[in-house]
Amino acid sequence: MLRYLTRRFAASVLILLGVTAVTFCLSFLIPADPVRMIAGRSASAQTVESIRHQLGLDQPLPVQYVRYVGRLAQGDLGRSYVQKTEVATLIWSRLPATLLLMAGAIFFELLIGLPAGVYAAMRRGRTADRGIMMLSFAGVSTPQFVVGLLLLYVFAYLLGWFPLSGYGTVWHLVLPALTLGIAGGGWYSRMMRSSMIEVLRQDYIRTARAKGLSERGMVMVHGLRNAILPVIAMIGLDIGIFMSGAVVVESVFGWPGIGQLAWQAIQRIDIPIIMGVTLVAAIAIVIGNLLADLVTPLIDPRIRLR
Amino acid sequence: MPDARPASLMLRQAQHEDYDPHMSAEQPLLQVEDLSVGFATEEGRITVVEDVSFTVAAGRTVGLVGESGCGKSVTAMSIMRLQPSPPSHIDGGRILFEGTDLLALPESAMRGVRGDRIGMIFQEPMTSLNPTLSIGFQIGEVLRLHRGMTGAAAREKSIEILRLVGVGAVERRVDQYPHQLSGGLRQRVMIAMALVCNPRLLIADEPTTALDVTIQAQILELLRRLQRELGMAILLITHDLGIVAEFCDEVVVMYAGRVVERSGVRPLFASPRHPYTAGLLAAMPRLTKRGGRLVTIPGMVPPPAARGAGCSFADRCPRVLPRCRAERPPLVPHAPGHDAACWNPPP
Ligand SMILES: Nc1ncnc2c1ncn2[C@@H]1O[C@H](COP(=O)(O)OP(=O)(O)O)[C@@H](O)[C@H]1O
Ligand code: SF4
Ligand SMILES: [Mg+2]
């Protein structure tokens, strides 16, 4: 186990190094000069050059990269060009809101997607299955701002059950998380359905029936255990995806997450923030993946950690 | 016949109002009558099992033989009502088990029969156990379901039945998972699971086909011993007449979805009354040596959709008469207890 974790850790570091190389290069492909943006239009050529020197942007690229990675290793993600604040501090301040929204979104995704997928698989080809699949398609394909605004209108404005926007209590969390959960639940229900249909074809399901299990008992005990495995991998992925923020939902609901931070940074070409968010998202993907890989063998004993 | 079933079981069954095990002495344990099963396919409805009738007496072993695709598994699965419907549909017949027509039972009562009164094992021991659950759980599940046993009691009984089916190092095995067991051991676990409630009938659908020859012999020997000790009847599905000769009391030969011959083992082997059976027997010696499949009769089984009015075996039959293609031969007695469906039986 320890050996496994050590190896996974080493592999993760390599992956993340790769990510830093990519973000680093990307930042130079952007056709805008960050120094000009900091200095402003009216700055003299001399000022521009001195800022460039100050930021180390006049050094050869490999040198810049090594310095960049060296700073990362110390937890220094650089300073925002625009906000003149440490990127690490900015991301850190957004982290609680992002993690909370992530947890809420995954909760609703599973709450909606798993039962719907299981039920559709059990009623395969019948009306209930078709209905669920149509709903899930609608969930997946409706733009999030439409779903979000609709939920806001009905449950916050008309009914007044939830606050209109902001962040702070559990009530603030429900609607944004539900908005994400509706889209994600559509994906999960499809995945759960096809996974369950595949499992229900297996010989051991026939055995379970031959034992006298009811359809429900069989699906719950023998089906779910096996069918849930691809879903777990998807949850691992979701952790990474939500870490980079849910831009649309955050702006609809005024949710102070990483997504808004990243969006503003992109608009202002605030490269250190973009690089920082990308890196944090990559770390989250690696962690989510690791978590999924650690949970899987608990369910399927054939899979060993090696 | 004194009823040897535990009182708890009889009580449980009394709760099923539709289930009435009023067995009389001369009534067979299982009586399949004119069973017809079809499938709805893209090309339309096909009939794959047609007017199949046979009986299994309590404590006896009946072999159901025939080439692959002739409808053995569909027949077995229909007895258990495990055929998924759709696409399959039972077009007619009755399946009397302990005097009750299983086809008329509500699904809930049928669940009480499966795994309790009738056990079933399958051809594929490698895939028939759930890979994510321990052996002990999977056996205990049957006891929890049909006997209301829990925790320690179910485990105790699971260990006991594993011992009975000859699994060594049981205390360790019971907590293991299927992938840690060989094919032979897995089939023993399947047998344990099927027999843990002491069913009156065991349906074994090609239980040894996927195993290598030495393991085959061990599993068959085990079934024979368990039958002696537990007294259940066995419906043994196989395409290996060598196994039938050694193991069964009676034989039902199927061809293209129909019963073509039915008799005690000895008369069948001594003087087969159907050319198909005769062909199978002629192919036998080579077969047992290689343990291979029944492919030595030239030609192929006609697919369900291509079965005409006459005898389905006509295209492959060395004794075919003009009448055979026009008129289907009925299954009639050729000797006491020896039925065959043929217009021109071998001498
Ligand atoms: N789900 C199905 N749909 C259509 N045809 C089927 C299905 N299952 C079985 N059959 C057909 O039923 C016939 C009998 O199959 P089966 O009982 O499995 O044969 P076997 O004697 O080898 O056990 C075969 O012709 C097969 O093609
Ligand atoms: S009925 Fe005719 S074709 Fe069919 S088995 Fe008998 S002799 Fe052969
Ligand atoms: Mg078969």
Side-chain angles (χ1 to χ4, degrees):
Chain A
M1 183 70 191
L2 198 68
R3 259 189 60 202
Y4 173 79
L5 284 179
T6 317
R7 255 184 7 139
R8 280 299 293 261
F9 184 75
S12 305
V13 168
L14 280 180
I15 292 169
L16 293 177
L17 264 179
V19 173
T20 60
V22 172
T23 55
F24 182 76
C25 293
L26 276 180
S27 70
F28 285 93
L29 294 177
I30 294 172
D33 185 352
V35 179
R36 281 259 166 229
M37 299 193 58
I38 294 169
R41 258 177 237 283
S42 52
S44 68
Q46 208 179 356
T47 323
V48 168
E49 276 324 300
S50 86
I51 293 176
R52 196 182 296 285
H53 182 71
Q54 235 180 336
L55 291 174
L57 294 178
D58 53 352
Q59 304 281 334
L61 286 189
V63 175
Q64 285 192 44
Y65 177 68
V66 170
R67 285 189 181 174
Y68 166 62
V69 172
R71 287 195 303 271
L72 286 183
Q74 296 161 9
D76 177 5
L77 298 180
R79 284 174 83 83
S80 159
Y81 293 156
V82 182
Q83 303 192 39
K84 316 286 184 213
T85 320
E86 290 293 326
V87 171
T89 314
L90 284 172
I91 292 178
W92 192 251
S93 72
R94 302 286 183 131
L95 205 58
T98 290
L99 288 178
L100 203 62
L101 187 58
M102 177 192 296
I106 292 177
F107 172 77
F108 279 118
E109 282 178 341
L110 298 179
L111 190 72
I112 295 167
L114 298 196
V118 169
Y119 192 69
M122 287 175 73
R123 311 245 107 211
R124 187 183 180 194
R126 306 195 189 182
T127 321
D129 178 24
R130 294 214 190 90
I132 288 173
M133 282 306 99
M134 259 158 62
L135 282 178
S136 94
F137 183 72
V140 165
S141 53
T142 311
Q144 281 179 4
F145 72 88
V146 174
V147 177
L149 289 175
L150 217 68
L151 290 178
L152 260 184
Y153 181 72
V154 175
F155 295 104
Y157 179 72
L158 285 184
L159 297 171
W161 292 354
F162 300 103
L164 277 167
S165 98
Y167 162 72
T169 70
V170 146
W171 301 113
H172 288 95
L173 175 64
V174 174
L175 292 184
L178 186 59
T179 306
L180 292 171
I182 284 172
W187 289 117
Y188 275 87
S189 68
R190 280 165 177 262
M191 168 171 264
M192 192 68 214
R193 175 182 180 272
S194 61
S195 173
M196 182 62 88
I197 283 173
E198 182 55 37
V199 166
L200 291 181
R201 260 203 282 271
Q202 302 296 312
D203 288 338
Y204 56 80
I205 292 297
R206 182 183 61 188
T207 305
R209 286 204 179 96
K211 285 173 168 182
L213 260 76
S214 67
E215 208 67 8
R216 233 196 34 242
M218 183 200 73
V219 165
M220 289 305 161
V221 178
H222 293 266
L224 212 49
R225 262 187 103 77
N226 291 279
I228 200 88
L229 293 169
V231 172
I232 288 174
M234 187 145 142
I235 297 174
L237 259 176
D238 256 358
I239 290 178
I241 290 170
F242 283 128
M243 183 54 98
S244 58
V247 180
V248 175
V249 167
E250 283 178 22
S251 53
V252 168
F253 291 93
W255 190 264
I258 287 177
Q260 292 217 34
L261 180 70
W263 182 234
Q264 286 161 12
I266 288 167
Q267 284 171 324
R268 297 174 192 164
I269 321 189
D270 196 343
I271 287 161
I273 293 185
I274 297 173
M275 289 163 73
V277 169
T278 309
L279 192 64
V280 167
I283 292 173
I285 287 174
V286 166
I287 291 176
N289 224 313
L290 180 64
L291 285 180
D293 287 354
L294 288 177
V295 170
T296 307
L298 298 179
I299 297 169
D300 188 345
R302 283 170 304 178
I303 298 169
R304 305 286 294 282
L305 300 179
R306 256 176 282 116
Chain B
M1 189 187 110
D3 199 320
R5 278 172 281 153
S8 63
L9 168 61
M10 302 191 57
L11 211 124
R12 242 188 64 81
Q13 275 171 354
Q15 291 165 352
H16 280 300
E17 282 170 23
D18 311 275
Y19 191 88
D20 176 23
H22 52 80
M23 263 184 79
S24 66
E26 66 274 22
Q27 193 173 32
L29 178 72
L30 176 74
Q31 195 170 352
V32 177
E33 281 179 2
D34 300 322
L35 178 69
S36 294
V37 187
F39 285 93
T41 67
E42 276 153 28
E43 288 88 47
R45 289 162 77 103
I46 52 167
T47 302
V48 301
V49 168
E50 215 171 343
D51 293 331
V52 164
S53 301
F54 62 90
T55 59
V56 180
R60 306 277 279 177
T61 303
V62 174
L64 188 56
V65 297
E67 280 165 299
S68 160
C70 69
K72 306 183 296 291
S73 294
V74 169
T75 302
M77 294 289 275
S78 300
I79 296 170
M80 287 289 262
R81 284 193 19 204
L82 287 174
Q83 282 285 107
S85 170
S88 91
H89 44 85
I90 295 196
D91 293 329
R94 295 198 303 168
I95 297 174
L96 298 173
F97 176 71
E98 296 182 322
T100 306
D101 184 3
L102 297 181
L103 296 181
L105 280 186
E107 173 62 21
S108 61
M110 190 62 215
R111 284 202 297 268
V113 175
R114 288 185 204 124
D116 187 1
R117 311 297 297 148
I118 308 179
M120 186 160 184
I121 58 176
F122 303 94
Q123 181 177 343
E124 305 84 4
M126 300 313 275
T127 51
S128 289
L129 291 164
N130 190 328
T132 63
L133 296 167
S134 74
I135 304 305
F137 180 92
Q138 296 190 56
I139 298 174
E141 185 176 37
V142 189
L143 294 165
R144 287 189 287 276
L145 198 65
H146 295 295
R147 293 289 180 274
M149 281 189 188
T150 50
R155 188 183 161 88
E156 200 69 14
K157 177 79 187 159
S158 302
I159 288 177
E160 188 186 307
I161 190 85
L162 280 173
R163 267 206 196 99
L164 189 69
V165 300
V167 171
V170 177
E171 307 281 346
R172 184 165 56 85
R173 292 279 185 214
V174 72
D175 292 319
Q176 285 188 326
Y177 290 87
H179 73 277
Q180 295 166 292
L181 273 52
S182 67
L185 268 179
R186 287 191 214 187
Q187 198 58 298
R188 283 176 196 263
V189 170
M190 282 297 292
I191 293 171
M193 233 159 62
L195 296 184
V196 70
C197 284
N198 201 0
R200 295 295 77 210
L201 174 66
L202 174 70
I203 301 177
D205 190 350
E206 314 227 14
T208 60
T209 305
L211 303 171
D212 62 49
V213 185
T214 48
I215 310 291
Q216 268 189 28
Q218 288 172 14
I219 294 290
L220 287 171
E221 189 44 52
L222 169 69
L223 284 177
R224 198 201 299 277
R225 175 168 65 79
L226 290 171
Q227 185 174 35
R228 234 177 8 242
E229 289 172 21
L230 305 174
M232 76 277 183
I234 299 179
L235 178 61
L236 180 73
I237 296 171
T238 177
H239 58 255
D240 187 342
L241 277 172
I243 291 177
V244 172
E246 216 176 302
F247 200 71
C248 298
D249 304 312
E250 278 141 65
V251 198
V252 177
V253 182
M254 281 182 76
Y255 184 77
R258 294 182 147 265
V259 174
V260 294
E261 187 159 8
R262 201 169 54 190
S263 103
V265 163
R266 261 169 232 280
L268 185 106
F269 277 78
S271 69
R273 305 308 293 160
H274 196 283
Y276 177 61
T277 316
L280 292 182
L281 289 174
M284 234 184 85
R286 262 168 295 160
L287 222 155
T288 32
K289 229 183 278 163
R290 281 201 229 124
R293 307 209 125 217
L294 292 175
V295 289
T296 25
I297 302 174
M300 298 231 307
V301 189
R307 289 168 198 167
C311 173
S312 296
F313 192 55
D315 285 343
R316 302 168 74 184
C317 183
R319 304 181 57 80
V320 61
L321 304 173
R323 184 186 191 183
C324 303
R325 296 189 196 275
E327 229 180 312
R328 174 171 288 151
L331 185 65
V332 292
H334 285 235
H338 191 158
D339 306 331
C342 179
W343 294 125
N344 187 18

